[in-house]
Amino acid sequence: HKLLEKKLNQELSNFKKFEVYQFGHSGNGQLLNYFYLKNYALKYKPDLIIDLFLVENDFRDDFYELAQKYFQQTGDTAVFSKPMIKFDDQGNIDFNAAQEELFNGAGAQSRITFIRNIAKRSALATFFYRKFNKEIRPYFYARRMAKQSDSEIINRIPVDFQVLMKNYPESWERAWEIEKKLVLAINKAATENNAKFLLVTSGGATRVHREDLIAEYIDELDFDKPEKIFQEFTSQKHISYLALTSVMRERALATGKKIMFSCDGHWNETGHQW
């Protein structure tokens, strides 16, 4: 965000002075983005609010059903350490219930923190915990899923890739409806406070450097599907939208540069500059 601030002030210095603040947080998802906006960012009276949507993992950060599947595949308990979408009796998003859980502390989070604090005191416990989650749990999950029929191929696709599936099951249709409602809520909060709103979507290394992906389920994927859905949605709702993944991919192909760390898929120095 400071790179952006510097570039704006260098290139548009005759226009006005720019200040860019970051309120996002790793692993937030759109529900927490909404709360961070309402409780913190709006106090600064911003002229423009940019909401970054990471299509590979923001869904499971908000939607319990996908978080559960992600846990079954990876054993990562951190996926439950944040409040997720709740619904009222009419089926609408219950923001009050989620915010109450956020400020009072999620029960799952406190239990996970307690267990981790105990495990950290034992090198042996830490070793076996990591061994179980990284190797043993995924192995047995893959074995179980391999026995499923072709109609259940979704279970063999990592959760973070399922958003790219050509054909969605009902659970993903529901997840999309939830995320669209969250984007609309963020847009409403911005415009009601006299701020312009820009939705930006981005993806991980796999979609930028898709030639590096070798998987049995690759024919089931449409690498540009999330952007197609967002383009139609934002056009209908008159929301400003910028899709970064295709831009990054074109530049990566043109320059031959890698823009992400191979170990974890986060931006490297080149990625941040771009």
Side-chain angles (χ1 to χ4, degrees), residues 48-62:
L48 169 66
I49 292 165
I50 302 174
D51 180 33
L52 178 61
F53 196 118
L54 290 172
V55 297
E56 276 85 355
N57 60 275
D58 273 10
F59 288 87
R60 63 171 162 83
D61 286 329
D62 295 325

Side-chain angles (χ1 to χ4, degrees), residues 199-242:
L199 177 67
V200 176
T201 58
S202 181
T206 305
R207 290 207 297 142
V208 175
H209 304 294
R210 65 183 67 173
E211 61 277 0
D212 294 341
L213 178 63
I214 301 175
E216 62 175 9
Y217 50 79
I218 195 167
D219 291 338
E220 303 292 326
L221 308 182
D222 176 354
F223 282 85
D224 300 311
K225 183 169 183 175
E227 283 73 22
K228 296 172 184 175
I229 294 175
F230 271 119
Q231 190 66 59
E232 180 180 3
F233 167 68
T234 54
S235 178
Q236 291 174 347
K237 300 300 180 179
H238 307 290
I239 294 174
S240 297
Y241 173 57
L242 173 64

Side-chain angles (χ1 to χ4, degrees), residues 26 33 87-89 195 209 251 268 272:
S26 177
N33 278 2
F87 301 95
D88 59 23
D89 295 337
H209 304 294
R251 187 172 293 185
N268 60 17
H272 278 291

Side-chain angles (χ1 to χ4, degrees), residues 73-225:
Q73 289 182 346
T74 67
D76 186 357
T77 55
V79 73
F80 298 120
S81 64
K82 60 180 77 78
M84 294 186 186
I85 291 293
K86 292 177 173 57
F87 301 95
D88 59 23
D89 295 337
Q90 286 73 45
N92 300 314
I93 296 176
D94 192 338
F95 288 105
N96 291 330
Q99 179 156 305
E100 182 178 351
E101 183 178 342
L102 171 64
F103 286 110
N104 291 336
Q109 183 174 12
S110 60
R111 290 192 297 272
I112 291 168
T113 302
F114 176 73
I115 294 171
R116 284 178 175 170
N117 287 339
I118 294 177
K120 285 179 181 178
R121 299 180 182 273
S122 168
L124 188 62
T126 301
F127 170 79
F128 282 112
Y129 177 79
R130 291 178 176 173
K131 193 81 170 175
F132 177 75
N133 279 334
K134 296 295 184 182
E135 298 181 24
I136 299 175
R137 183 191 292 273
Y139 170 77
F140 282 106
Y141 182 82
R143 284 282 301 272
R144 188 169 79 252
M145 290 302 104
K147 298 177 182 179
Q148 301 291 331
S149 66
D150 290 340
S151 63
E152 297 174 301
I153 190 171
I154 181 176
N155 292 321
R156 299 199 292 273
I157 301 176
V159 168
D160 288 355
F161 287 146
Q162 290 180 11
V163 70
L164 307 178
M165 289 187 301
K166 294 176 180 177
N167 300 302
Y168 284 144
E170 184 182 355
S171 60
W172 269 97
E173 297 288 354
R174 293 198 306 272
W176 266 105
E177 289 305 309
I178 289 172
E179 296 302 332
K180 289 177 181 178
K181 290 179 180 179
L182 287 172
V183 170
L184 289 175
I186 295 172
N187 177 57
K188 181 180 179 182
T191 54
E192 286 181 346
N193 285 271
N194 301 314
K196 293 182 179 180
F197 177 68
L198 172 64
L199 177 67
V200 176
T201 58
S202 181
T206 305
R207 290 207 297 142
V208 175
H209 304 294
R210 65 183 67 173
E211 61 277 0
D212 294 341
L213 178 63
I214 301 175
E216 62 175 9
Y217 50 79
I218 195 167
D219 291 338
E220 303 292 326
L221 308 182
D222 176 354
F223 282 85
D224 300 311
K225 183 169 183 175

